[in-house]
Amino acid sequence: MNLLIYCHTQITKKNWNNMKNFLVHNENTIKEMCESIGIKQAEDLFKQIPQDVRSSGLDLPEGLSELETQRIIKNLAKENKTDYISFLGGGIYNKFIPACISQVANRFEFNTAYTPYQPEISQGTLQVMYEFQTMICNLTGMDIANATVYDGGTACAEAILMACRITKKYKACVLNSINPEYKKVITTYTNAQSIQVDWVDEIPNETKDYACTLVQTPNYFGEIIQPQKGECLSVICCDPSTLAYLKTPGEFDADIAVGDIQTLGIPMNFGGPTAGYMACKEKYMRQLPGRLAGRTVDKGGNQAFCLTIQTREQHIKREKATSNICSNQALIALCSTLYLSVLGEKGFKQAGYLSTKNAHLLADKLKEKGIKILNKNFFNEFTIEVNDADEFLTKLRNNNILGGIKINKNKILVAATEMNTEEEIEQYITTI
């Protein structure tokens, strides 16, 4: 992908002189400031805070030299176990990430670009946002996509709020099989907006009273769901890495598609940060939260990029604002854009094929060992039933294998990706 990267930063003499404002205040400056507001010393600013809630100071040891600090940190790091074989999933997956992605994403032109929700950001950042939106539309089969939201849970919650704005109804129907972390975010968002959420095991036939239905496929337990279009708006949440083979939200006639992009070139990072995507039909474009980047032509006839829609209350009338998201995940979207560009269609499909191949191989071998597989149809994640989940997982962990996520005392969620080898799968089977 040809990225147009412009760096407009220029340090002038005037700017350099202005930087003096950021120097630490000296005693004379502090005295002058205190006198101007009628106090003797800075500590007087805190007189209103009761003594019983004040900190009495930090019990810290003497400072260390840089060399001593490095030694301590290295010794602490040795206590981390990083050589586990992972079969964990549940929303965060161990995926192959080409080394070139971090090299490009860490370039200073991207890292120092002005905040990516402002209209004056660099052309390079704007183009990345535009390319990301285009790729999400291609993956999901939807008309319009925004330039990311915080994560998958936020995307789900924002989709419900979006549906309520569109329909003027304040009631949503959500399948219980959605990621439990997404459930918590949805509950927080909708409670604050006085929106009723009905958590159901099956979407009812009558949905005309709802603003939307929300279905995750594959769901948290790995099962592939076939969403049915009802009488209200349809929101489908899906992992974009599965869309190389599974039907897209567009093919299910979804009105809004959401999900997390962690599987598109984002490291696990102890569970975050990740980023979410939102896409929708064109007629709902102005209700999308966040930002949309567009492509145009400048007065010289050159290709140019700009923010075409900004829906924060800082930009438009507050009563018409659809989002108060002030930060963004533009650098994470950059990594996903690079990931999809580097892998290409062929590599993206190969990664999806290897993930599902490894998962089904593991499931077949578990069946042969007498382990019950609870899924009828799954992609790269499935649920098993065992006598004792704690005992099962502990045995694997003692042999450097993270065998899955405990759902309850008898059920475990197991995932495989292209990173798992046949030798690792065989090791899993021989250990249990």
Coordinates of all heavy atoms in Angstrom, one line a residue, residues 9 37 46 89 114 123 155-156 204 219 226-227 233 254-255 278 281 295 300 313 361 381 408 431:
T9 N 5.6 19.4 10.9 CA 6.1 20.0 12.1 C 7.4 20.8 11.7 O 8.3 20.3 11.1 CB 6.5 19.0 13.1 OG1 5.4 18.2 13.4 CG2 7.0 19.7 14.4
I37 N -3.1 35.3 44.1 CA -4.4 34.7 44.5 C -4.6 34.8 46.0 O -5.6 34.1 46.5 CB -4.5 33.2 44.0 CG1 -3.4 32.4 44.6 CG2 -4.5 33.2 42.5 CD1 -3.6 30.9 44.2
F46 N -4.5 23.4 49.7 CA -5.1 22.1 50.1 C -5.7 22.2 51.5 O -6.0 21.1 52.1 CB -4.0 21.0 50.0 CG -3.3 21.0 48.7 CD1 -2.1 21.5 48.5 CD2 -4.0 20.3 47.6 CE1 -1.5 21.4 47.2 CE2 -3.4 20.3 46.4 CZ -2.1 20.8 46.2
G89 N -8.8 -18.2 24.2 CA -9.5 -17.4 23.2 C -10.4 -16.5 24.0 O -9.9 -15.7 24.8
Y114 N -0.7 14.7 14.8 CA -1.7 15.4 15.7 C -2.9 14.6 15.9 O -3.3 13.8 15.1 CB -2.0 16.8 15.1 CG -2.6 17.7 16.1 CD1 -1.9 18.2 17.1 CD2 -3.9 18.1 16.0 CE1 -2.4 19.1 18.1 CE2 -4.5 19.0 16.9 CZ -3.8 19.4 17.9 OH -4.3 20.3 18.9
Q123 N -2.0 14.1 6.3 CA -2.6 13.3 5.2 C -2.3 11.8 5.4 O -3.1 11.0 5.0 CB -2.0 13.8 3.9 CG -2.6 15.1 3.4 CD -4.1 15.0 3.0 OE1 -4.4 14.3 2.0 NE2 -5.0 15.5 3.8
A155 N -18.2 -1.0 20.8 CA -18.9 -1.1 19.5 C -20.3 -1.6 19.7 O -21.2 -1.1 19.1 CB -18.1 -1.9 18.5
C156 N -20.5 -2.7 20.4 CA -21.8 -3.3 20.7 C -22.7 -2.3 21.3 O -23.9 -2.1 20.9 CB -21.7 -4.5 21.5 SG -20.9 -5.9 20.6
P204 N -36.8 -13.7 19.8 CA -38.2 -14.0 19.6 C -38.7 -13.7 18.1 O -38.0 -13.0 17.4 CB -38.9 -13.1 20.6 CG -37.9 -12.0 20.8 CD -36.6 -12.6 20.7
N219 N -20.4 -17.1 18.4 CA -20.7 -16.5 19.7 C -19.5 -16.8 20.7 O -18.5 -17.4 20.3 CB -22.0 -16.9 20.3 CG -22.1 -18.4 20.6 OD1 -21.1 -19.1 20.7 ND2 -23.3 -19.0 20.6
Q226 N -26.7 -18.3 12.8 CA -27.3 -17.9 11.6 C -28.3 -16.8 11.9 O -29.5 -17.1 12.2 CB -28.0 -19.0 10.8 CG -27.0 -20.1 10.4 CD -26.0 -19.7 9.4 OE1 -26.2 -19.0 8.5 NE2 -24.8 -20.2 9.7
P227 N -28.0 -15.5 12.0 CA -28.9 -14.4 12.4 C -30.1 -14.3 11.4 O -29.9 -14.5 10.2 CB -28.0 -13.2 12.3 CG -26.6 -13.6 12.4 CD -26.6 -15.0 11.7
L233 N -34.2 -3.2 13.6 CA -32.8 -3.2 13.1 C -32.0 -4.4 13.6 O -32.2 -4.9 14.7 CB -32.1 -1.9 13.5 CG -32.7 -0.6 13.0 CD1 -31.8 0.6 13.5 CD2 -32.8 -0.6 11.5
A254 N -27.6 -7.3 7.6 CA -27.5 -6.5 8.9 C -27.5 -5.1 8.6 O -27.1 -4.6 7.5 CB -26.1 -6.9 9.5
D255 N -28.1 -4.3 9.6 CA -28.1 -2.9 9.5 C -26.8 -2.3 10.0 O -26.4 -1.2 9.5 CB -29.3 -2.3 10.2 CG -30.6 -2.8 9.6 OD1 -31.0 -2.3 8.5 OD2 -31.3 -3.6 10.2
M278 N -17.0 -0.4 13.6 CA -18.5 -0.2 13.4 C -18.7 0.0 11.9 O -18.0 0.9 11.3 CB -19.1 0.9 14.2 CG -19.1 0.7 15.7 SD -20.0 1.9 16.6 CE -21.7 1.6 16.1
K281 N -25.3 0.3 7.1 CA -25.8 0.7 5.8 C -25.7 2.2 5.6 O -25.7 3.0 6.5 CB -27.3 0.3 5.7 CG -27.5 -1.2 5.6 CD -29.0 -1.5 5.6 CE -29.2 -3.1 5.5 NZ -30.7 -3.4 5.4
R295 N -12.1 10.7 1.0 CA -11.2 11.0 -0.1 C -11.8 12.0 -1.0 O -12.9 11.9 -1.4 CB -10.7 9.7 -0.8 CG -9.6 10.0 -1.8 CD -9.2 8.7 -2.5 NE -10.2 8.1 -3.3 CZ -10.1 6.9 -3.8 NH1 -9.0 6.2 -3.7 NH2 -11.1 6.4 -4.5
G300 N -5.7 21.7 -6.7 CA -4.7 21.4 -7.7 C -4.9 20.1 -8.4 O -4.1 19.7 -9.2
E313 N -19.7 16.3 20.3 CA -20.4 17.5 20.7 C -19.4 18.7 20.6 O -19.9 19.9 20.5 CB -20.9 17.4 22.1 CG -19.9 17.2 23.2 CD -20.5 17.0 24.5 OE1 -21.5 16.3 24.6 OE2 -19.9 17.5 25.5
L361 N -9.0 -30.2 14.3 CA -8.1 -31.3 14.5 C -8.0 -31.6 16.0 O -8.1 -32.8 16.5 CB -6.7 -31.0 14.0 CG -5.6 -32.1 14.3 CD1 -6.0 -33.4 13.7 CD2 -4.2 -31.6 13.8
E381 N -12.9 -22.0 17.6 CA -13.1 -22.0 19.0 C -14.3 -22.9 19.4 O -15.3 -22.9 18.7 CB -13.4 -20.6 19.5 CG -13.2 -20.3 20.9 CD -13.1 -18.8 21.3 OE1 -13.4 -18.0 20.4 OE2 -12.6 -18.5 22.3
N408 N -17.4 -22.8 33.6 CA -17.9 -23.2 34.9 C -17.2 -24.5 35.4 O -16.2 -24.8 34.8 CB -19.5 -23.4 34.9 CG -19.9 -24.5 33.9 OD1 -19.2 -25.5 33.6 ND2 -21.0 -24.2 33.2
T431 N -1.3 -35.0 27.3 CA -1.2 -34.5 28.7 C -2.4 -34.8 29.5 O -2.4 -35.0 30.7 CB -0.8 -33.0 28.7 OG1 0.4 -32.8 28.0 CG2 -0.7 -32.5 30.1

